[in-house]
Amino acid sequence: AWIEDFVSRSPENSLKVEQSERIFDRPLVGFASGSDSLWQLYRDHIGDFYLTPRDLFRAAFPSETVLPEELTIISWILPSTRRTRQEQTGQTKHPSKRWVWTRHYGEIFNNALRRSLVEALAGAGVHAVAPLQLPVWSKSSEGPYAPCSNWSERHAAYAAGLGTFGLCDGLITPVGKAHRTGSVIARITVLPSARPYQDHHAYCLHYTQGTCGKCIPRCPVKALSLQGHDKKRCMAYTEHAMNTYMKNTYGIDTYACGLCQCGVPCMDHIPAPEEG
């Protein structure tokens, strides 16, 4: 309820394109336990550098002794608006203006949400930390999934029952995969959300039905194929070529692409088998 209220009331949830147009619609919120076996599974697969919730909490509060089961991971999905998604669907090479604004101002808002939730919990006597705002959070060029980071907001959302991964590595949620996501780790006990899936690709028609693949032709640099997502090719375009494009076109130092997240069956919902 607190996160929903913040998203609905915060003046920072503004796209700055037109008066009173929001960046994000109503959020999804989920919870996971710090003792969930997934955190160690992530570390086993991704690499020893990957941090568990307990590692991150102890980095913020080194003098506290804490058990994993005393921690709750609060995860959220901030869905892009229908107007932003429709505008982005019409693009074939560069992201649309609203998509760029959502990436730039939306992450500023997401960071404000992270900070404000930590502060609100502190005001209630609960110690909490936003992993992406810790000095120990970093990107890595190590391991089989490189480039990656030592805490993934999408993997936290998966643990909290909010969605599963698609062919393009986007997180498909009940409100689709055109969204931003975030998390906070708190020393509080909340009943974990149900995880209505066993497989990390459960909502992707390519993996479950052997169909779809409609995100593949959406990629302007052929970073997607039936074999999956070429992260290095994707990043060369998204974080480098598009960074130059954003500076020259919009005068802001950001990067974005996201063409694979719109104009596809999983854009705004979990697709049914016949949509493939």
Side-chain angles (χ1 to χ4, degrees):
W2 187 96
I3 293 173
E4 286 187 13
D5 187 63
F6 186 88
V7 172
S8 68
R9 294 176 183 272
S10 172
E12 290 193 64
N13 186 14
S14 170
L15 203 53
K16 299 174 175 55
V17 175
E18 291 184 13
Q19 192 68 25
S20 74
E21 185 175 341
R22 288 184 178 179
I23 307 172
F24 300 116
D25 284 334
R26 184 178 180 179
L28 302 179
V29 180
F31 305 93
S33 171
S35 62
D36 195 305
S37 61
L38 271 179
W39 311 117
Q40 185 59 48
L41 184 68
Y42 290 163
R43 176 176 278 177
D44 291 344
H45 278 268
I46 297 168
D48 290 341
F49 59 88
Y50 198 82
L51 301 175
T52 66
R54 188 185 187 198
D55 294 332
L56 290 156
F57 187 87
R58 292 171 72 181
F61 303 100
S63 63
E64 287 194 37
T65 301
V66 63
L67 298 173
E69 56 266 31
E70 295 178 279
L71 300 175
T72 292
I73 295 77
I74 306 164
S75 176
W76 58 84
I77 301 293
L78 301 173
S80 302
T81 64
R82 182 179 180 185
R83 194 168 182 181
T84 296
R85 295 175 188 200
Q86 287 178 332
E87 188 181 84
Q88 177 78 340
T89 294
Q91 301 298 304
T92 58
K93 186 175 181 182
H94 304 121
S96 74
K97 183 174 183 178
R98 278 185 173 80
W99 192 269
V100 172
W101 257 231
T102 296
R103 174 67 180 82
H104 182 63
Y105 294 111
E107 198 54 26
I108 291 173
F109 171 77
N110 201 8
N111 276 320
L113 171 54
R114 291 177 175 110
R115 284 192 304 272
S116 297
L117 180 55
V118 168
E119 290 167 4
L121 288 165
V126 175
H127 283 172
V129 60
L132 263 66
Q133 295 177 336
L134 276 175
V136 295
W137 183 83
S138 64
K139 294 183 179 181
S140 174
S141 57
E142 299 177 41
Y145 300 100
C148 56
S149 58
N150 57 6
W151 174 261
S152 164
E153 299 286 46
R154 284 174 298 142
H155 284 72
Y158 173 85
L162 293 176
T164 75
F165 296 89
L167 181 64
C168 73
D169 284 343
L171 192 77
I172 303 170
T173 77
V175 292
K177 65 177 178 182
H179 57 73
R180 305 295 299 166
T181 182
S183 66
V184 158
I185 299 165
R187 189 167 191 170
I188 190 172
T189 303
V190 177
L191 187 68
S193 304
R195 206 150 57 216
Y197 40 75
Q198 272 82 48
D199 187 89
H200 65 288
H201 287 138
Y203 296 159
C204 177
L205 297 179
H206 167 72
Y207 291 107
T208 62
Q209 306 295 320
T211 63
C212 197
K214 292 176 182 176
C215 56
I216 295 173
R218 290 287 292 162
C219 181
V221 292
K222 295 182 171 55
L224 297 175
S225 70
L226 293 175
Q227 284 67 53
H229 177 210
D230 184 332
K231 294 171 74 172
K232 292 181 180 178
R233 182 185 287 261
C234 173
M235 288 180 69
Y237 184 72
T238 302
E239 296 191 16
H240 299 287
M242 285 299 94
N243 178 245
T244 301
Y245 174 78
M246 303 308 161
K247 289 177 182 175
N248 293 340
T249 307
Y250 301 110
I252 53 176
D253 187 6
T254 190
Y255 62 87
C257 179
L259 293 176
C260 61
Q261 295 176 28
C262 292
V264 290
C266 55
M267 174 176 73
D268 56 11
H269 65 286
I270 298 168
E274 60 270 19
E275 293 181 74

